[in-house]
Amino acid sequence: MANIVLSLINSSLLDGVCTCHICRYRDISVIIAVDDQIANNQLFKDVFRFSVSNLYTLEILTKEQTLQLLKSGKYNNTRVAITSKTLSNYEYLINQGFNNLTTLSLSEEPKSFFQRFPEELLIAERLNRKNIIINYCKANAEQVPINYVIEHS
């Protein structure tokens, strides 16, 4: 099974500088971007490919394609980062039996994220009940647990 080193929630999906910076220090070689709309639009896919260094393999997939890819074993023994705009994509993968996602990292300040996307707070609470850890990853790499995130949103 793929070694999921980073599971990132980023409302811009891919922040090339940030994503590649994190990937370099975590020795990640594959980035999987999960977004149904972008995965089905070749122009959007091409734009996102330019935001990531060619040092990394970039897969831009729907959540169903992501599940199939992870189950296929293509990236077994590979250090992989998954990024998605929403927690709902991670919830889908977990509900489909992909249990390799135990920690998710929110890349922006939780209060503003949950104010802009209030439905995501409900998903965060459901994932928290399943013992999925959701951290707020600050720029200085300090991680804040989801209980704090939920209480202050």
Side-chain angles (χ1 to χ4, degrees):
M1 185 174 288
N3 181 7
I4 308 298
V5 177
L6 175 67
S7 301
L8 188 65
I9 301 99
N10 186 332
S11 62
S12 64
L13 186 62
L14 279 171
D15 174 341
V17 174
C18 177
T19 302
C20 292
H21 179 75
I22 292 169
C23 291
R24 182 177 65 208
Y25 288 104
R26 295 193 180 189
D27 199 27
I28 292 168
S29 57
V30 175
I31 301 169
I32 300 173
V34 184
D35 188 284
D36 290 359
Q37 182 181 8
I38 293 172
N40 290 312
N41 184 314
Q42 190 59 50
L43 177 63
F44 285 164
K45 286 172 77 167
D46 291 343
V47 168
F48 275 94
R49 288 191 195 286
F50 285 117
S51 73
V52 174
S53 166
N54 61 5
L55 297 174
Y56 306 99
T57 300
L58 175 64
E59 301 272 5
I60 302 173
L61 306 169
T62 66
K63 60 188 173 208
E64 292 85 5
Q65 292 169 329
T66 300
L67 181 65
Q68 293 308 310
L69 178 71
L70 293 172
K71 285 183 173 181
S72 76
K74 178 178 179 180
Y75 292 121
N76 281 2
N77 304 315
T78 302
R79 294 174 65 85
V80 174
I82 299 178
T83 183
S84 173
K85 291 180 184 178
T86 66
L87 287 167
S88 62
N89 287 327
Y90 290 110
E91 184 178 44
Y92 170 82
L93 294 171
I94 291 163
N95 288 342
Q96 296 301 312
F98 191 75
N99 298 318
N100 201 10
L101 297 169
T102 57
T103 303
L104 307 176
S105 297
L106 186 61
S107 69
E108 66 180 89
E109 199 280 318
K111 189 170 187 171
S112 64
F113 178 81
F114 290 124
Q115 283 175 344
R116 290 186 306 126
F117 308 105
E119 67 281 0
E120 293 291 301
L121 185 57
L122 298 173
I123 296 169
E125 290 169 343
R126 286 196 301 268
L127 291 172
N128 191 40
R129 286 192 295 272
K130 291 182 178 186
N131 297 317
I132 304 300
I133 299 166
I134 303 173
N135 291 324
Y136 164 41
C137 228
K138 293 184 178 181
N140 63 3
E142 176 186 350
Q143 297 197 339
V144 180
I146 189 61
N147 292 345
Y148 175 88
V149 171
I150 291 171
E151 289 169 15
H152 293 86
S153 295

